[in-house]
Amino acid sequence: MSTPPRFGAIIIGDEILSGKRQDGHLAKLISLLSERGLALAWAEYLGDDRAQIAATLRRSMQSQDIVFCFGGIGATPDDQTRQAAAEAAGLNIARHPGAVAEIEARFGAEAYPKRVLMADFPENAALIPNPVNRVPGFALGSHYFMPGFPEMAWPMSAWILDTYYSALFHQHAQHEVSILVFDAGESQLLDLMQHILTQHPSLKLFSLPRLDTRRTIELGVKGNAEQAQAAMEYLQQALDSAGFPWQAISAEK
């Protein structure tokens, strides 16, 4: 089976970094992907800094990643994402006829002279329909640019996944299983963790200490179901031999 593409997120806005608004995009995108058997590989938060946004996009555009970008595509001076995306892709900004038609249909004469500025996209951009107010987002290759408003961005994100990536749904199932290990510190389990990864290099291992009254670690693996189960059985046997009590807590697909 071929290696699945990676999904990434770029969340843009000074208001997020300053704490004036709380981000909800990350959790929602993770949920939308998970519902379709997909997973988020990475995420970045950026302020409304055109140079920084352009540099980040230039880097991500050199990859094959599918990237969801939230925020900064309005027409106010602090919105820099459209211009940064054009700069990163080496394109000019041009008024998109399809976007103009959507904005005119929504606002009529009030589309001019200001609202129509939101139809100025990088050349050759594809449109992402906005079910709330018809002001579209845009796509450049596998990068998708949406407004920061959750009520708009979230259905737009679902539309992108369902329209362009349905062939990927549930094609690379990940099995996750974890246990609680008691009375052990992570340092006491390092050799065991390394052995599991040496024997099963395609698995991802996670170790999450808990600040409980009793020393507790959630220890688990994620990946191919057969390998994950084999690794967990070995882990449980090794913990029994070492005298560390444990308790199974999850087994997910």
Side-chain angles (χ1 to χ4, degrees):
M1 186 177 292
S2 61
T3 302
R6 302 194 326 154
F7 287 85
I10 299 175
I11 300 162
I12 299 167
D14 288 344
E15 68 280 4
I16 301 294
L17 299 183
S18 69
K20 290 183 178 180
R21 288 191 177 177
Q22 297 298 311
D23 170 56
H25 295 305
L26 183 61
K28 184 63 176 182
L29 182 58
I30 290 171
S31 176
L32 289 171
L33 290 167
S34 179
E35 291 167 4
R36 294 160 173 79
L38 304 169
L40 189 67
W42 58 267
E44 295 190 36
Y45 288 90
L46 303 175
D48 294 305
D49 182 311
R50 185 186 302 190
Q52 184 183 39
I53 299 169
T56 301
L57 290 173
R58 192 176 296 113
R59 169 170 46 82
S60 65
M61 286 176 177
Q62 292 173 353
S63 73
Q64 300 299 312
D65 294 351
I66 300 163
V67 182
F68 289 73
C69 303
F70 302 96
I73 66 169
T76 58
D78 59 320
D79 291 320
Q80 298 289 315
T81 303
R82 292 177 294 124
Q83 297 85 349
E87 181 179 333
L91 299 170
N92 293 319
I93 290 285
R95 188 150 293 179
H96 193 295
V100 171
E102 284 293 291
I103 294 171
E104 287 180 341
R106 171 64 176 84
F107 296 105
E110 294 181 1
Y112 296 90
K114 301 301 183 183
R115 287 190 172 96
V116 75
L117 295 174
M118 291 185 289
D120 293 349
F121 293 149
E123 291 176 315
N124 303 316
L127 297 186
I128 303 171
N130 182 335
V132 176
N133 69 355
R134 300 189 67 167
V135 179
F138 67 95
L140 290 176
S142 60
H143 280 57
Y144 301 92
F145 298 86
M146 291 161 285
F149 295 106
E151 62 270 23
M152 300 179 187
W154 296 353
M156 293 167 79
S157 297
W159 180 87
I160 292 163
L161 291 169
D162 295 340
T163 301
Y164 296 115
Y165 299 107
S166 61
L168 300 177
F169 294 177
H170 305 289
Q171 294 300 303
H172 301 273
Q174 294 284 296
H175 185 83
E176 179 179 314
V177 59
S178 62
I179 60 176
L180 293 180
V181 183
F182 303 103
D183 306 328
E186 286 186 302
S187 61
Q188 295 171 283
L189 304 177
L190 286 177
D191 290 343
L192 178 55
M193 295 181 202
Q194 188 57 55
H195 178 79
I196 290 172
L197 290 180
T198 299
Q199 295 299 310
H200 304 281
S202 65
L203 293 180
K204 286 190 174 182
L205 181 145
F206 56 91
S207 176
L208 304 172
R210 297 188 176 185
L211 297 177
D212 295 337
T213 55
R214 185 180 186 184
R215 179 179 286 185
T216 306
I217 299 170
E218 181 181 351
L219 190 58
V221 290
K222 183 175 183 178
N224 172 270
E226 183 177 348
Q227 292 190 36
Q229 192 58 44
M232 184 52 62
E233 290 175 1
Y234 176 86
L235 173 61
Q236 292 168 353
Q237 293 169 4
L239 291 170
D240 286 338
S241 298
F244 293 119
W246 57 269
Q247 175 184 329
I249 61 172
S250 67
E252 301 176 352
K253 287 185 179 180

